[in-house]
Amino acid sequence: MTAAGATLRQAAARLLSQVNAGVEPHADVGPLISRDAKERCERLIQAGIDAGAQCLLDGRGVVVKGYEQGNFVGPTLLAKVKPHMECYEEEIFGPVLSCLEVGGGGMTACVKEGLCIGRPSGLLACMLLCTSGQLTSRAS
């Protein structure tokens, strides 16, 4: 894991303790909209893992005290995601960050290869872990 990957994992892991109902104090990550949305999110996480993505932080199976039947998925970090993977092609609509690792060109290489722009669901945000360990991000 790159230094940037380790930093992302640590930051996301801190959020696991702040998964709660949105009406509760200090809740940074609330429930998904429905049971179907939770199941879809968890299915896409698993599809990424099955296709070769590395799950650095797994938010599936989160249970919130007092809301045990809630539709919670905690922060999830998938690394080594490739553009052909379903977890990249489909909008997950959950607290999942899919990271692509690119060579020395960082964002330039990513855009040149069409990895971020032209994504079928539209670009909301893209985080890249370069082989140098540098973290690059872009949002639009």
Side-chain angles (χ1 to χ4, degrees):
M1 177 183 328
T2 64
T7 300
L8 276 174
R9 184 183 188 289
Q10 289 171 353
R14 283 193 296 272
L15 288 175
L16 272 176
S17 66
Q18 296 177 336
V19 176
N20 209 330
V23 297
E24 298 296 335
H26 309 295
D28 283 332
V29 181
L32 293 161
I33 191 105
S34 67
R35 176 75 46 199
D36 286 343
K38 176 185 176 183
E39 289 171 0
R40 180 179 184 280
C41 181
E42 290 178 339
R43 181 186 60 75
L44 287 168
I45 292 168
Q46 188 60 50
I49 294 166
D50 291 346
Q54 182 181 13
C55 189
L56 301 179
L57 183 66
D58 193 346
R60 296 173 294 171
V62 169
V63 177
V64 176
K65 186 176 180 181
Y67 301 94
E68 288 79 8
Q69 300 304 312
N71 302 316
F72 296 97
V73 176
T76 300
L77 184 58
L78 294 176
K80 300 188 183 299
V81 172
K82 306 289 184 213
H84 69 275
M85 293 179 177
E86 187 179 12
C87 65
Y88 177 82
E89 292 177 346
E90 296 291 325
E91 193 71 46
I92 296 179
F93 296 108
V96 180
L97 179 61
S98 296
C99 300
L100 297 122
E101 295 184 9
V102 297
M107 178 58 77
T108 304
C110 179
V111 173
K112 182 179 177 186
E113 295 298 319
L115 299 178
C116 293
I117 59 174
R119 181 174 170 191
S121 60
L123 174 65
L124 296 177
C126 181
M127 303 282 292
L128 305 167
L129 299 178
C130 301
T131 53
S132 66
Q134 174 188 356
L135 175 64
T136 305
S137 66
R138 174 183 173 167
S140 67

